[in-house]
Amino acid sequence: MSRFFATGSDSESEESSSADEITPKATGTTFNKNKEAFTPNLILCCPLRFRFEELTNIIKTIRNAMKIRDMSKCLEEFEQLYRAFLKSKTIVDKEGVPQFYIRLLADLEDYLNQLWEDKEGKKKMNKNNAKALSTLRQKIRKYNKDFETEIASYKEVLNSSTNVISLCRCQDEESESDDDEDSEDWGSDSVDSGGESEDNEGAAASLAVVFLKKAQDGDKQHEPKKDGRRKRHKKIEQVEEEVDEDGEAEEGGWEKVKGGVPLVKEKPKMFAKGTEINSAVVIKKLTEILQARGKKGTDRAAQIELLHALSGISNENNLGQGILVKIKFNIIASLYDYNTNLAAFMKPEMWKKCLECIDELLDILFENNNIFIGENIAEDSENLAISDQPFRVRGCILTLVERMDEEFTKIMQNTDPHSQEYVDNLKDEGRVCGIIDRLLQYLESKGSTEEVCRIYLRRIMHTYYKFDYKAHRRSLGLQGETKSEQDQEESEGEDSAIIMDRLCKFIYAKDRTDRIRTCAILCHIYHHALHSRWYQARDLMLMSHLQDNIQHADPPVQILYNRTMVQLGICAFRQGMIKDAHNALLDIQSSGRAKELLGQGLLMRNMQERNAEQEKIEKRRQVPFHMHINLELLECVYLVSAMLLEIPYMAAHEFDARRRMISKQFHHQLRVGERQPLLGPPESMREHVVAASKAMKMGDWRTCHSFIINEKMNSKVWDLFPETQCVREMLVRKIQEESLRTYLFTYSSVYDSISMETLSEMFELELPTVHSIISKMIINEELMASLDQPTQTVVMHRTEPTSLQNMALQLAEKLGGLVENNERVFDLKQGVYGGYFNRDQKGGYQQKQNYQRGGYRNQNQSSY
Amino acid sequence: MASRKEAPSGKSLDSPVRQIQIEGLVRPHHQALQGSEVVQGVLLGLVVEDRLEITNCFPFPQHTEDDADFDEVQYQMEMMRSLRHVNIDHLHVGWYQSTFYGSFVSRALLDSQFSYQHAIEESVVLIYDPIKTAQGSLCLKAYRLTPKLMEICREKDFSADGLKKASVGYENMFEEVPIVIKNSHLINVLLWELEDKSTAADKHELLNLSSSTHLEKSLQMLMDRVDEMSQDIVKYNNYCRSLSKQQQQKHQYIQRRQQENAQRQSRGEPPLPEEDLSKMFKPPQPPPRMDTLLIASQLSTYCQTIKEFTSQNLGKLFMAEALQGTSSYS
């Protein structure tokens, strides 16, 4: 309605509503009149609709431009309209000038005249607009001369409708009306309802009009269509012809038409009825479809549909497996093509279809041994049809499956990991694995070693991160009987360890690309580590020498390497090799970017450093959620191992000025803990570890134990291990031992002698263990003491320097530094580098110092 | 104890004050003296010939941050006026400061002593160590800035060159003025009496090896200063290096320019215009050397105190040994 305001016609809202009222009235008449002509021919009405839609679109923009008084835009659009109208000349000739067109012309002229008269407004206009206004006015005056009669009649109707309106309101929808009007009215109405759907009141009726319009249209175009049939051409070609007739002789009419036509209508026109469908025709069709691939206007969804239909047809007509394989290849390829954006992921239905297709393809390949596929078979040497020779089809199933795998990863990356949807998607993993397995079998018999390597790697990638529960259970023994049937079935399969071993060894032997081997090694190590085969994992890691050159690898491999290192560290921890665990985790943990390094999420603080493009790339690298390594577990393992190493070390080197930190991160946590003004009971994992460290510093292993192993920590961390119990026992043991060491370091100065029995009671360790720990400390010169065998006591030697002596030593060291610095200044002054003392002498100076210190100690010892 | 008078050293000092005579009455009486907090106050007295007699003092009030608008000058004037009313010397002759384990050499001390000496030529700063005094050895020292240092402070030239030119080392930054303590007869009598009354046990305190905590503390502080010193030296070193590097660059640049000019001249072209070299090669900011000097001076005081302390202790040890030896032989 509003557009009537803009036209500036003097009639008020009454009038505009009348324009709406015309619709139902008119439809009623046409409906009745053309009832008998209702023979739907859906295709043929399309060019007309297409044309008219174009026109109405332009008209709409013109009206908008009128509303905002944008004359230059108006002019531009008017010229376009003019051209579009010329294009649809044929239709117009048949149908007569559509009412809406006339209406626009009339309105536009009125509007322009009005503007022209408005001198004030014209002055306000800017130059461009004023110029456009004058040209447009001239043009429309000239142009409208051709439509004089129509416009006049329109205006008449407009005036009369103001009178009619009251009548219209009360009239029934099906009531008859003047016959002379309706033949012209239908066009405007139907297009209005289709394009703008403004007519709410008469919605139902106008729907009917759309139908009717088509019907009528079909009626009128009946003849040409018959001609087409007679020619026994494919229908599609006929459409093309028609489009050509319409003056649209640009490029690939085929696609253009499809764009406008709803999908449902495609199917019947695949082949003309009665065409003898043989392989040649189908291949031709296939190439025809494929040529459209990748072009701009191509509807990709429609293309997939077409290919599906084609495969159906070829199947029906038994055209042989070769063609079917070829078509399947192309369907899958176009499924992948569907998303032009690399970051976007497949829709679920597409994904399902893709899986099905690949499955079917594999079925065919398995059933028919005489099909050769390969990417190096040239297009023209393909043999698709002749069934007595082996089929040769171009295409690479391996690439398709690899792509499928990538798509799967992409889907998983893009699903919210905490939703049910993720679980549903993850269920497809089984199918993906199944497909990979089948392809693996296929390629084992047919493919080259390179291909086998590639598919093996895919298989490995889907295996390495999964914990093999059945093998684990089997290794624990005897539970097999109580298991349910399903479990038994499961356990019949090969152990994943054996599979991994077989696949990886094949790759080690046969692979020629470094990348696949590297990945395989890493996965192998990961798998070993996951299943607590520490020594195999470690040896493999050391033998591979990956640590030396991993920084040259591409980021995904580096991420894999990081994951492997972390898994290795966690494995070492489970085995009680605290030092190894710490070393393996140090690099990852110390950077503070564990999340990023493991590909498990992006860090926020890096946001400003990278642009959107980089972020996209990084997002694509992320590991799907189900493969994640628990970061809290990682951190906890790291901190606990750091604690077990650091606390005794700190106690031993309390006064050492040159004490270095074993773990910076651990110290950081300790400092954070110290900074707390009020220390409550620990809440988070870190606080637990810090509290435990404090207890351990005092040699209080019980408190330490209770902080490390309790309900909270169990649920947060320890229960995530497969062998929880073992790990916990190991931990308790370690805590006892290290607490004992810490205790001895810290408090040895207050004892003259201490009974080992007391110690073993204090730390609940067996006497031999205590004995061995203390002996080790004595051997390493960490503890100045000797063991008194008969009384089972440790006798302290008291050789540790007093605090004053320590201080003096520190001072001496500092002074040494000062002297050195001073010398440097002196050197500079003298202009001789290394003068005064040269390097050797300097070393000698320090050596002497060391010697003196040692002498001091020796002296003291000898005095006892 | 009456023999606490220190003999005036024969060292000739080129300052107007050669000796300081302190009345026994003058004792910085603060409650806070035991703590590590530094207390300061004003010394009053008068100059007699080349002798500065300090006859009275009063502390600066310890004011907290609550009364920030406290006017110290006003307070001092008020105080001196009051003292004048009761006929006490009211001439301002310096100030005193307590110290903690002998750490007093600082920038603040330098600055305030400079301003004192600038305004009142004969003023001194009296350093008093309450902790050491409590342990039995009076520690009271009077210092003045040497004329050389005064010169430098006046010119505010603390660069390495300036210090070098003035030949100011850490040794001759401050001059110690000998102190003579003069008690009134009444006090002397009291002291005699006290000495008579004191028991033998008190006297044996003399042999007490004061705990090693003192030494530890001193060492600790010595270490801190050494650290600072190291840092300063490193800074200076860096400065020197960057300076020499720049000199080299500058030199190269000039040479190149000269060569080019020579070539141009041979080709008959006009020489390149002179550019402002100092703009192109901005010399790096030299680190202030005064702090280093102060640290060095402080270090030397520490060393002095430690030396004193250890020598005393060693003497005590020998004495104790001798005593033990005689007792075990007898």
Side-chain angles (χ1 to χ4, degrees):
Chain A
M1 308 181 186
S2 53
R3 61 185 184 206
F4 278 94
F5 285 122
T7 58
S9 64
D10 44 10
S11 56
E12 289 295 323
S13 63
E14 234 189 350
E15 193 242 359
S16 63
S17 68
S18 79
D20 288 338
E21 284 307 312
I22 289 169
T23 320
K25 187 184 69 175
T27 48
T29 51
T30 41
F31 187 81
N32 287 341
K33 197 184 164 199
N34 296 310
K35 214 173 201 169
E36 63 276 10
F38 191 81
T39 45
N41 190 329
L42 299 174
I43 310 156
L44 292 179
C45 70
C46 287
L48 174 106
R49 241 185 84 183
F50 179 65
R51 286 284 151 233
F52 279 10
E53 226 161 83
E54 200 182 333
L55 286 179
T56 39
N57 279 339
I58 297 169
I59 288 170
K60 220 191 280 178
T61 36
I62 292 182
R63 287 203 189 272
N64 280 336
M66 277 157 71
K67 249 178 256 174
I68 57 169
R69 299 187 160 219
D70 189 351
M71 279 304 113
S72 48
K73 177 93 182 167
C74 248
L75 178 64
E76 207 176 285
E77 289 296 324
F78 179 75
E79 269 159 10
Q80 225 170 0
L81 180 69
Y82 177 66
R83 253 176 270 140
F85 190 75
L86 275 187
K87 263 189 205 167
S88 46
K89 191 92 179 153
T90 41
I91 299 168
V92 172
D93 284 346
K94 277 177 218 143
E95 311 287 346
V97 182
Q99 180 69 15
F100 59 89
Y101 192 69
I102 300 298
R103 196 158 69 201
L104 177 91
L105 290 178
D107 286 345
L108 195 58
E109 198 178 19
D110 282 351
Y111 174 69
L112 287 175
N113 284 337
Q114 203 185 349
L115 270 185
W116 195 250
E117 252 117 65
D118 186 7
K119 297 280 185 213
E120 282 293 330
K122 228 167 72 178
K123 265 177 202 164
K124 271 183 213 157
M125 267 186 207
N126 64 29
K127 229 182 187 173
N128 278 347
N129 265 353
K131 211 169 155 191
L133 175 63
S134 56
T135 30
L136 187 58
R137 188 163 163 268
Q138 279 172 357
K139 270 197 180 171
I140 202 140
R141 211 185 268 168
K142 217 191 270 173
Y143 190 66
N144 277 6
K145 267 178 194 154
D146 299 344
F147 298 94
E148 238 164 9
T149 48
E150 280 94 335
I151 291 172
S153 71
Y154 164 71
K155 280 187 177 160
E156 201 180 301
V157 171
L158 204 67
N159 291 334
S160 68
S161 65
T162 21
N163 306 330
V164 166
I165 177 177
S166 52
L167 279 170
C168 288
R169 277 244 178 254
C170 54
Q171 251 175 352
D172 201 353
E173 291 217 333
E174 270 113 45
S175 70
E176 299 281 331
S177 157
D178 320 45
D179 279 9
D180 53 345
E181 261 188 316
D182 58 13
S183 60
E184 280 172 11
D185 267 344
W186 64 265
S188 73
D189 289 336
S190 60
V191 170
D192 268 6
S193 64
E196 297 171 10
S197 70
E198 270 179 354
D199 311 338
N200 295 330
E201 293 165 70
S206 57
L207 250 182
V209 168
V210 176
F211 262 88
L212 272 180
K213 174 201 145 202
K214 284 168 189 165
Q216 200 180 37
D217 178 32
D219 199 24
K220 291 201 172 166
Q221 300 232 331
H222 206 57
E223 303 257 73
K225 190 195 78 189
K226 265 186 182 167
D227 284 345
R229 280 233 174 117
R230 229 178 290 136
K231 281 175 197 161
R232 288 201 167 263
H233 267 307
K234 279 179 245 164
K235 261 184 198 169
I236 185 68
E237 280 174 351
Q238 200 216 314
V239 175
E240 268 176 358
E241 268 173 29
E242 277 175 16
V243 170
D244 285 348
E245 272 175 17
D246 293 346
E248 188 220 59
E250 289 146 27
E251 36 81 57
W254 164 260
E255 294 102 43
K256 272 289 184 194
V257 171
K258 205 167 49 184
V261 178
L263 267 180
V264 211
K265 296 162 202 162
E266 298 273 350
K267 263 188 190 159
K269 64 176 184 248
M270 183 68 82
F271 293 107
K273 242 181 211 153
T275 312
E276 192 201 340
I277 295 172
N278 54 27
S279 46
V281 176
V282 172
I283 291 167
K284 191 175 162 226
K285 185 82 209 153
L286 184 64
T287 44
E288 198 178 307
I289 295 170
L290 288 182
Q291 263 157 14
R293 183 181 165 189
K295 277 187 188 155
K296 210 177 171 193
T298 317
D299 184 348
R300 293 183 295 272
Q303 210 179 9
I304 293 166
E305 283 300 321
L306 277 176
L307 285 167
H308 263 298
L310 201 61
S311 82
I313 289 167
S314 65
N315 218 6
E316 272 171 33
N317 294 296
N318 272 329
L319 290 182
Q321 304 296 347
I323 288 175
L324 207 56
V325 168
K326 179 85 180 160
I327 295 172
K328 286 273 183 228
F329 265 128
N330 285 312
I331 290 175
I332 297 164
S334 53
L335 276 170
Y336 292 147
D337 272 351
Y338 187 71
N339 280 319
T340 43
N341 190 348
L342 202 58
F345 59 101
M346 275 183 156
K347 286 185 201 125
E349 57 267 29
M350 288 286 181
W351 169 244
K352 290 266 164 351
K353 230 185 264 175
C354 176
L355 282 182
E356 276 164 25
C357 268
I358 293 178
D359 249 344
E360 282 166 27
L361 184 58
L362 280 171
D363 281 338
I364 296 170
L365 290 177
F366 268 109
E367 279 165 23
N368 302 284
N369 251 333
N370 56 347
I371 300 178
F372 288 105
I373 53 171
E375 42 194 340
N376 40 11
I377 297 172
E379 230 20 283
D380 37 5
S381 71
E382 276 185 334
N383 175 17
L384 302 176
I386 310 152
S387 50
D388 40 350
Q389 285 167 21
F391 293 113
R392 292 166 63 82
V393 182
R394 178 185 165 83
C396 181
I397 176 94
L398 179 58
T399 321
L400 291 181
V401 171
E402 279 179 341
R403 180 73 198 269
M404 172 201 75
D405 194 30
E406 275 156 28
E407 288 293 339
F408 178 67
T409 317
K410 231 188 264 175
I411 289 172
M412 296 319 282
Q413 278 169 351
N414 284 291
T415 317
D416 173 20
H418 304 292
S419 63
Q420 184 59 35
E421 200 189 342
Y422 194 87
V423 180
D424 292 340
N425 284 343
L426 196 54
K427 282 176 190 157
D428 284 337
E429 223 250 338
R431 284 189 71 183
V432 173
C433 286
I435 287 173
I436 290 175
D437 257 346
R438 289 181 63 189
L439 183 63
L440 189 143
Q441 285 167 21
Y442 179 75
L443 287 178
E444 269 176 351
S445 58
K446 293 221 168 155
S448 67
T449 48
E450 270 165 59
E451 284 173 323
V452 175
C453 280
R454 269 161 73 189
I455 193 68
Y456 273 11
L457 184 66
R458 287 285 152 188
R459 178 79 172 84
I460 288 168
M461 286 301 215
H462 277 276
T463 316
Y464 79 96
Y465 64 91
K466 291 175 191 155
F467 188 77
D468 194 349
Y469 277 98
K470 48 190 181 177
H472 181 59
R473 241 177 280 143
R474 213 178 300 145
S475 70
L476 291 180
L478 48 94
Q479 281 165 9
E481 274 80 0
T482 55
K483 269 186 285 173
S484 67
E485 250 177 70
Q486 194 196 350
D487 278 347
Q488 252 169 356
E489 255 173 54
E490 252 178 36
S491 65
E492 273 161 20
E494 221 174 346
D495 263 10
S496 67
I498 299 167
I499 297 174
M500 285 293 288
D501 209 46
R502 185 165 53 81
L503 301 185
C504 288
K505 279 188 177 145
F506 181 85
I507 290 179
Y508 300 156
K510 296 281 162 70
D511 175 57
R512 269 175 309 204
T513 65
D514 239 9
R515 192 176 183 277
I516 291 181
R517 187 170 43 231
T518 310
C519 287
I521 291 174
L522 287 173
C523 293
H524 204 177
I525 296 169
Y526 190 102
H527 194 258
H528 276 317
L530 192 63
H531 295 85
S532 296
R533 292 188 290 271
W534 157 249
Y535 288 104
Q536 281 110 303
R538 187 199 59 183
D539 292 347
L540 202 53
M541 180 56 102
L542 292 178
M543 280 194 301
S544 64
H545 291 290
L546 277 175
Q547 279 145 312
D548 307 331
N549 48 23
I550 193 69
Q551 63 269 24
H552 304 304
D554 50 357
V557 179
Q558 283 189 17
I559 287 175
L560 184 60
Y561 172 79
N562 289 339
R563 285 165 56 78
T564 307
M565 275 318 269
V566 165
Q567 199 56 251
L568 203 60
I570 293 174
C571 170
F573 182 79
R574 281 193 305 239
Q575 308 290 307
M577 330 253 178
I578 301 300
K579 203 158 189 173
D580 292 308
H582 181 266
N583 289 344
L585 299 180
L586 183 63
D587 287 341
I588 303 285
Q589 232 8 53
S590 63
S591 63
R593 297 186 299 148
K595 200 170 157 195
E596 202 182 348
L597 291 176
L598 292 176
Q600 300 189 355
L602 305 175
L603 285 185
M604 277 316 179
R605 69 182 157 83
N606 281 0
M607 277 306 189
Q608 57 267 48
E609 287 167 28
R610 57 167 181 252
N611 50 33
E613 193 55 40
Q614 272 170 316
E615 195 183 325
K616 258 185 221 157
I617 294 170
E618 272 175 46
K619 269 206 180 125
R620 234 173 289 142
R621 275 185 212 142
Q622 299 303 307
V623 177
F625 183 72
H626 59 280
M627 294 163 72
H628 278 196
I629 296 171
N630 190 321
L631 288 175
E632 192 167 28
L633 171 76
L634 163 65
E635 194 179 353
C636 181
V637 164
Y638 174 75
L639 284 179
V640 168
S641 34
M643 174 186 88
L644 290 175
L645 292 174
E646 186 86 72
I647 296 289
Y649 182 83
M650 273 163 72
H653 297 83
E654 209 181 339
F655 298 110
D656 196 341
R658 271 196 268 190
R659 191 179 72 194
R660 59 189 176 82
M661 280 184 248
I662 293 178
S663 161
K664 251 189 186 155
Q665 225 216 345
F666 178 69
H667 275 275
H668 176 72
Q669 292 304 339
L670 281 187
R671 271 198 301 274
V672 168
E674 273 164 19
R675 246 183 274 140
Q676 300 281 310
L678 197 67
L679 217 60
E683 286 285 334
S684 70
M685 177 273 297
R686 286 176 194 163
E687 284 168 355
H688 270 104
V689 177
V690 169
S693 308
K694 276 185 188 150
M696 195 188 221
K697 239 185 225 170
M698 314 296 287
D700 183 356
W701 77 270
R702 278 191 187 82
T703 321
C704 179
H705 171 211
S706 70
F707 277 131
I708 291 288
I709 295 168
N710 53 31
E711 279 302 307
K712 246 186 216 164
M713 290 291 272
N714 276 347
S715 63
K716 265 184 191 156
V717 180
W718 306 125
D719 286 345
L720 297 173
F721 287 131
E723 316 108 321
T724 319
Q725 207 46 47
C726 303
V727 173
R728 268 183 286 215
E729 276 160 22
M730 180 277 297
L731 256 180
V732 177
R733 179 86 181 174
K734 285 281 171 200
I735 289 172
Q736 285 169 336
E737 288 176 9
E738 295 304 324
S739 299
L740 169 62
R741 274 160 54 81
T742 314
Y743 185 82
L744 283 176
F745 282 133
T746 317
Y747 298 111
S748 65
S749 57
V750 290
Y751 284 104
D752 273 328
S753 63
I754 183 166
S755 153
M756 283 205 282
E757 261 171 64
T758 322
L759 283 177
S760 92
E761 264 171 45
M762 273 173 77
F763 292 94
E764 291 185 13
L765 287 165
E766 309 85 52
L767 205 56
T769 323
V770 175
H771 186 263
S772 85
I773 290 174
I774 292 174
S775 307
K776 225 181 254 171
M777 284 167 79
I778 292 173
I779 290 168
N780 292 336
E781 292 191 23
E782 290 171 328
L783 186 69
M784 297 304 157
S786 51
L787 283 171
D788 190 42
Q789 201 60 44
T791 51
Q792 290 285 324
T793 49
V794 190
V795 181
M796 303 298 168
H797 284 169
R798 300 224 161 266
T799 57
E800 286 305 307
T802 62
S803 61
L804 184 63
Q805 284 162 335
N806 264 320
M807 205 95 81
L809 286 174
Q810 275 181 41
L811 179 64
E813 237 160 73
K814 282 190 177 159
L815 283 173
L818 184 65
V819 168
E820 224 165 273
N821 282 334
N822 231 347
E823 274 164 25
R824 256 180 238 149
V825 177
F826 188 69
D827 286 348
L828 216 63
K829 279 256 158 73
Q830 299 292 306
V832 188
Y833 293 95
Y836 210 71
F837 294 123
N838 54 35
R839 278 287 148 212
D840 299 340
Q841 274 169 328
K842 229 176 249 172
Y845 163 71
Q846 274 183 345
Q847 264 171 16
K848 203 167 80 190
Q849 211 180 21
N850 289 337
Y851 173 69
Q852 273 177 342
R853 210 175 311 154
Y856 158 75
R857 199 170 265 184
N858 289 340
Q859 220 178 344
N860 271 331
Q861 273 172 341
S862 62
S863 71
Y864 277 94
Chain B
M1 291 229 187
S3 63
R4 277 213 308 215
K5 279 181 191 171
E6 285 169 31
S9 65
K11 213 164 79 180
S12 64
L13 298 163
D14 43 358
S15 64
V17 181
R18 283 165 194 272
Q19 191 191 28
I20 293 171
Q21 181 181 319
I22 303 178
E23 285 286 325
L25 277 171
V26 179
R27 289 296 301 273
H29 20 77
H30 285 282
Q31 308 109 307
L33 276 185
Q34 297 306 319
S36 58
E37 213 172 319
V38 172
V39 291
Q40 294 173 324
V42 175
L43 295 174
L44 299 173
L46 69 165
V47 185
V48 182
E49 290 163 1
D50 62 349
R51 196 178 64 213
L52 179 70
E53 289 184 5
I54 299 167
T55 52
N56 214 332
C57 70
F58 63 89
F60 291 143
Q62 300 276 322
H63 60 92
T64 49
E65 274 152 32
D66 302 339
D67 42 18
D69 53 346
F70 180 82
D71 190 352
E72 246 174 59
V73 180
Q74 183 67 32
Y75 173 80
Q76 280 181 32
M77 300 312 281
E78 195 68 31
M79 197 71 187
M80 286 198 284
R81 201 173 303 131
S82 308
L83 286 169
R84 192 173 169 183
H85 284 315
V86 291
N87 206 12
I88 292 174
D89 290 328
H90 58 269
L91 285 177
H92 206 150
V93 292
W95 59 298
Y96 68 85
Q97 190 189 346
S98 75
T99 169
F100 179 65
Y101 290 112
S103 59
F104 60 88
V105 187
S106 66
R107 193 62 191 257
L109 181 114
L110 178 76
D111 288 345
S112 49
Q113 177 58 20
F114 169 71
S115 59
Y116 264 101
Q117 233 168 299
H118 195 65
I120 310 162
E121 211 197 345
E122 60 275 359
S123 56
V124 293
V125 56
L126 214 57
I127 305 291
Y128 173 71
D129 189 340
I131 295 170
K132 219 168 159 200
T133 310
Q135 279 171 353
S137 54
L138 178 67
C139 184
L140 196 62
K141 299 235 162 84
Y143 289 100
R144 283 172 56 79
L145 300 185
T146 54
K148 279 178 190 166
L149 195 62
M150 282 296 288
E151 195 72 25
I152 290 172
C153 287
R154 212 171 287 138
E155 282 163 19
K156 301 225 176 302
D157 175 21
F158 296 133
S159 68
D161 288 336
L163 290 175
K164 206 164 142 192
K165 204 161 59 194
S167 67
V168 172
Y170 70 93
E171 314 93 339
N172 49 12
M173 287 174 77
F174 297 94
E175 57 184 359
E176 197 181 337
V177 188
I179 299 177
V180 174
I181 297 175
K182 184 176 165 248
N183 287 333
S184 69
H185 297 302
L186 270 173
I187 291 175
N188 280 337
V189 169
L190 176 70
L191 285 173
W192 277 112
E193 204 174 317
L194 278 176
E195 198 175 12
D196 264 356
K197 276 184 183 167
S198 60
T199 54
D202 288 343
K203 284 178 191 168
H204 277 291
E205 283 283 295
L206 190 69
L207 285 182
N208 185 16
L209 294 173
S210 40
S211 57
S212 60
T213 49
H214 189 132
L215 203 56
E216 249 176 64
K217 269 268 155 47
S218 302
L219 271 179
Q220 189 69 55
M221 299 214 280
L222 190 61
M223 244 150 55
D224 292 348
R225 285 298 98 72
V226 168
D227 275 348
E228 279 174 33
M229 188 80 165
S230 289
Q231 280 171 15
D232 264 15
I233 285 184
V234 169
K235 250 186 243 165
Y236 184 68
N237 202 3
N238 287 340
Y239 159 72
C240 285
R241 219 175 299 158
S242 58
L243 190 69
S244 71
K245 207 188 271 173
Q246 207 177 42
Q247 287 287 346
Q248 225 170 352
Q249 280 177 349
K250 200 167 161 182
H251 195 67
Q252 275 183 352
Y253 178 79
I254 292 170
Q255 269 194 335
R256 223 180 310 134
R257 185 46 76 85
Q258 275 173 347
Q259 275 180 354
E260 208 168 317
N261 273 349
Q263 276 184 355
R264 280 171 153 256
Q265 225 163 17
S266 64
R267 276 181 281 163
E269 289 168 33
L272 289 171
E274 286 295 318
E275 279 166 54
D276 194 2
L277 284 174
S278 62
K279 243 181 215 166
M280 286 179 66
F281 299 100
K282 273 208 181 102
Q285 194 67 35
R289 297 298 293 157
M290 201 45 170
D291 295 333
T292 323
L293 261 189
L294 284 170
I295 291 169
S297 168
Q298 178 68 67
L299 276 177
S300 87
T301 18
Y302 279 141
C303 289
Q304 208 65 41
T305 47
I306 289 172
K307 211 166 107 191
E308 252 170 53
F309 185 82
T310 44
S311 60
Q312 269 180 19
N313 270 3
L314 274 176
K316 282 180 193 170
L317 273 174
F318 279 120
M319 259 153 83
E321 199 182 19
L323 276 176
Q324 271 183 335
T326 50
S327 63
S328 59
Y329 288 129
S330 64

